[in-house]
């Protein structure tokens, strides 16, 4: 089947390459000429495990191609996926300008019956607006469907190959049939394909992200209480997460969630509620808790040093919003850096893959180190922000040699407080009760 994928971001590139791997003929189109040039040269512009192999394999076989021309991509395609950005508008709503512009261009380019599928995360009612835009320019019949994307950055290729479920929102049976056929080989049992009306599919994506974000903010709120009452939120997490009705996923307290989706999707959902006169109290609280939580780690560091970081060197481990990605969008590390710099701290950072992106955003306002321990040379404190595997078990004796001070701030509750304290460090996690007095090294 010939497929056009509009947008080569995290979603478009992974799903486009994934569809090609399933044997389809996929053409990916993007406005960003530099991005397309790089893809045509065989370079992969984002960090995603397994993605380069998938792209190289399928381009070699001629099943995956890249272009800046909408007409070339859409010509002959029976399925066209819209996977462009839907950032927050100033009023919190989803800015649909990229989606609607893409729909207009697709409408002008289709050359026969075409199924246009919204893969971008879009508010309820967007499919109807896409249909209107298509109708303005199209000279051929088309159907519009919703197929929201649930991939996790850092594990996106796996998610594509083994989806927990595929949601299809469609009123036209031809769309249901084509999408069912497309996904057949990655769905071993039919109960993981959930077909529903378009509006419900659009809402499902927001509901899923809001629930995941709710679990994190709930634990972050409990972490604050745990700190106040002298309990350890990690023990609480294990105790509650072992109940199968609750489950153990997404219950980690930390320095706040980031990424391009949770924050903007919470705000867009809340905006949809307002438009329909339904006040979504929980959804708003989840975002508020996160905004506050993003500052908690920085507050611990600054108060440890008496309210000012003048003359203090802070080593920061991890910049990406989560491990296995180079994505810095809404990354807690960026908020933390701003906070620590406002307190006049000198920052030296290390991240296994996100440093090139970070240099573009941060310039020379922070130092960058070639390895984790180089970042800690002469540091008064070390802060863990992103729990990359290589940063989860520090070599305490090496740190004791490289660091000037002995303060450790674990923004992801990854390190053993006992080991750290035994090695002579002051340890502070998130929601881990009252820290024991620091032991002299
Ligand atoms: P992105 O910003 O990384 O990529 C979007 C791409 O679309 C950009 O490269 C941009 O140049 C291109 N584009 C915009 N308008 C275009 C047009 N008219 N024609 C051709 N190209 C165009 O975005 P993303 O992270 O891939 O997210 C895309 C959508 O998927 C968003 O709605 C997002 O909420 C949703 N989503 C993202 C994730 C994720 O983890 N990133 C997961 C699930 C869903």
């Amino acid at each position: 089947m010939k497929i056009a994928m509009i947008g080569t971001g995290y979603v478009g590139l992974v799903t486009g390459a994934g569809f090609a791997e399933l044997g389809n003929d996929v053409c990916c189109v993007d406005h960003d000429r530099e991005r397309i040039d790089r893809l045509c040269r065989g370079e992969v512009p984002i960090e995603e495990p397994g993605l380069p192999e998938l792209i190289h394999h399928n381009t070699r076989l001629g099943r995956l191609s890249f272009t800046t021309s909408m007409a070339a991509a859409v010509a002959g395609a029976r399925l066209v996926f819209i996977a462009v950005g839907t950032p927050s508008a100033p009023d919190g709503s989803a800015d649909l300008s990229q989606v609607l512009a893409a729909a207009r261009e697709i409408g002008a380019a289709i050359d026969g019956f075409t199924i246009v599928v919204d893969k971008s995360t879009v508010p309820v009612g967007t499919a109807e607006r896409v249909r209107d835009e298509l109708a303005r320019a199209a000279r051929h019949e088309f159907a519009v469907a919703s197929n929201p994307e649930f991939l996790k950055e850092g594990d996106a290729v796996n998610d594509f190959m083994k989806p927990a479920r595929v949601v299809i929102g469609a009123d036209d049976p031809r769309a249901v049939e084509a999408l069912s056929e497309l996904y057949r080989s990655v769905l071993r049992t039919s109960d993981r394909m959930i077909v529903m009306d378009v509006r419900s599919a659009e809402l499902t994506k927001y509901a899923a992200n809001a629930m995941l974000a709710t679990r994190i903010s709930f634990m972050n709120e409990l972490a604050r209480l745990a700190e106040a009452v002298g309990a350890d939120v990690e023990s609480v997490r294990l105790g509650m997460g072992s109940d199968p009705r609750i489950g153990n996923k997404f219950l980690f307290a930390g320095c706040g969630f980031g990424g391009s989706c949770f924050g903007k999707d919470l705000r867009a959902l809340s905006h949809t509620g307002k438009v329909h006169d339904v006040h979504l109290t929980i959804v708003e609280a989840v975002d508020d808790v996160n905004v506050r939580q993003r500052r908690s780690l920085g507050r611990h560091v600054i108060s440890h040093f008496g309210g000012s970081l003048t003359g203090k060197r802070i080593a920061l481990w991890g910049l990406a919003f989560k491990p296995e990605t180079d994505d810095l969008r809404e990354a807690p590390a960026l908020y933390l850096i701003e906070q620590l710099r406002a307190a006049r701290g000198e920052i030296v950072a290390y991240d296994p893959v996100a440093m090139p992106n970070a240099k573009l955003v941060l310039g020379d306002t922070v130092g960058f180190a070639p390895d984790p321990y180089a970042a800690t040379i002469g540091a008064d404190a070390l802060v863990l922000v992103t729990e990359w595997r290589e940063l989860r078990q520090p070599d305490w004796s090496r740190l004791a040699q490289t660091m000037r001070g002995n303060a450790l701030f674990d923004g992801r509750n990854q390190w053993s407080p006992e080991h750290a304290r035994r090695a002579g460090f002051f340890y502070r996690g998130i929601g881990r009760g009252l820290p024991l007095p620091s032991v002299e090294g």
Side-chain angles (χ1 to χ4, degrees):
M1 178 149 36
K2 175 151 189 223
I3 294 172
M5 181 62 65
I6 319 303
T8 60
Y10 288 83
V11 169
L13 209 46
V14 171
T15 50
F19 288 144
E21 179 71 12
L22 303 184
N24 299 287
D25 175 12
V26 181
C27 185
C28 297
V29 60
D30 203 296
H31 272 166
D32 184 339
R33 177 169 290 282
E34 193 196 324
R35 199 174 183 85
I36 293 295
D37 286 346
R38 288 184 66 190
L39 284 162
C40 289
R41 286 198 300 270
E43 294 171 29
V44 179
I46 56 172
E47 180 71 29
E48 192 60 56
L51 184 60
E53 293 82 347
L54 212 58
I55 290 179
H56 296 146
H57 176 66
N58 285 286
T59 43
R60 239 190 342 266
L61 290 176
R63 292 196 298 235
L64 181 63
S65 59
F66 303 98
T67 178
T68 55
S69 160
M70 181 70 83
V74 170
R78 187 164 165 227
L79 278 167
V80 177
F81 285 84
I82 300 178
V84 301
T86 48
S88 269
D91 65 356
S93 64
D95 174 353
L96 293 177
S97 55
Q98 293 181 40
V99 171
L100 300 177
R104 275 193 297 277
E105 292 175 57
I106 295 165
I110 61 175
D111 57 2
F113 173 67
T114 308
I115 298 157
V116 179
V117 188
D118 274 335
K119 198 163 242 324
S120 299
T121 302
V122 290
V124 174
T126 302
E128 284 140 55
R129 296 180 65 185
V130 165
R131 196 171 292 140
D132 291 345
E133 294 299 334
L134 286 163
R136 253 177 248 238
R139 290 195 304 275
H140 298 271
E141 204 194 346
F142 61 84
V144 176
S146 166
N147 171 217
E149 182 53 58
F150 298 98
L151 63 76
K152 301 182 289 296
E153 280 180 30
D155 200 25
V157 171
N158 256 332
D159 283 339
F160 178 87
M161 294 302 171
K162 294 182 203 135
R165 80 305 211 180
V166 170
V167 169
I168 293 174
D171 309 320
D172 190 311
R174 291 170 295 182
V176 176
E177 195 194 323
L179 287 165
S180 305
E181 180 56 23
L182 178 65
Y183 282 108
R184 195 170 47 82
S185 58
V186 291
L187 292 170
R188 288 205 204 103
T189 52
S190 58
D191 60 358
R192 284 189 292 144
M193 161 98 59
I194 305 168
V195 180
M196 58 183 77
D197 66 278
V198 174
R199 289 185 157 238
S200 301
E202 290 171 334
L203 187 53
T204 299
K205 172 64 193 177
Y206 284 100
N209 269 3
M211 175 54 87
L212 293 173
T214 299
R215 288 171 69 94
I216 297 173
S217 275
F218 178 78
M219 291 310 287
N220 282 337
E221 197 157 66
L222 274 187
R224 281 178 46 232
L225 184 61
E227 277 172 18
V229 301
D232 185 348
V233 77
E234 278 301 292
S235 302
V236 176
R237 174 180 69 77
L238 292 169
M240 65 185 278
S242 54
D243 182 334
R245 292 171 303 175
I246 296 172
N248 55 16
K249 303 257 169 68
F250 271 75
L251 288 184
F252 293 90
C255 51
F257 56 74
S260 67
C261 292
F262 281 1
K264 88 169 166 63
D265 291 351
L266 287 168
R267 290 188 289 275
L269 185 58
S270 161
H271 186 272
T272 302
K274 282 191 190 118
V275 169
H276 294 275
D277 232 3
V278 179
H279 188 191
L280 300 176
T281 319
I282 294 175
V283 172
E284 278 179 27
V286 170
D287 198 26
D288 291 347
V289 167
N290 195 54
V291 168
R292 183 210 293 245
Q293 191 67 14
R294 278 197 306 235
R295 298 190 66 78
S296 65
L297 184 58
R299 263 201 306 269
H300 285 333
V301 179
I302 294 164
S303 73
H304 179 80
F305 291 106
S308 166
L309 298 179
T310 303
K312 301 294 176 203
R313 177 184 271 238
I314 313 293
L316 212 137
W317 278 4
L319 292 163
F321 88 91
K322 66 173 181 177
E324 306 296 334
T325 181
D326 60 351
D327 197 346
L328 284 169
R329 291 178 288 185
E330 299 279 316
L334 298 183
Y335 292 97
L336 177 68
I337 287 168
E338 195 181 298
Q339 195 181 0
L340 299 183
R341 290 196 65 238
R344 307 202 168 279
E346 181 198 347
I347 297 159
V348 182
Y350 167 77
D351 186 286
V353 302
M355 287 198 292
N357 281 351
K359 282 176 189 165
L360 297 176
V361 179
L362 297 165
D364 57 7
T365 57
V366 307
F368 294 98
D371 73 74
Y373 294 92
T376 65
I377 294 171
D380 296 283
L382 166 62
V383 188
L384 178 70
V385 190
T386 316
E387 67 278 32
W388 286 93
R389 222 170 280 131
E390 65 177 272
L391 307 177
R392 288 184 197 170
Q393 276 182 309
D395 178 339
W396 304 119
S397 53
R398 202 165 159 197
L399 279 182
Q401 283 167 9
T402 54
M403 286 177 67
R404 174 167 68 189
N406 75 338
L408 303 180
F409 296 90
D410 179 357
R412 298 293 175 184
N413 289 348
Q414 290 291 323
W415 300 333
S416 157
E418 292 73 31
H419 289 170
R421 287 172 187 146
R422 225 180 294 136
F425 289 94
F426 165 88
Y427 171 92
R428 177 127 203 194
I430 303 283
R432 311 209 71 180
L434 297 172
L436 300 173
S438 64
V439 182
E440 291 304 316

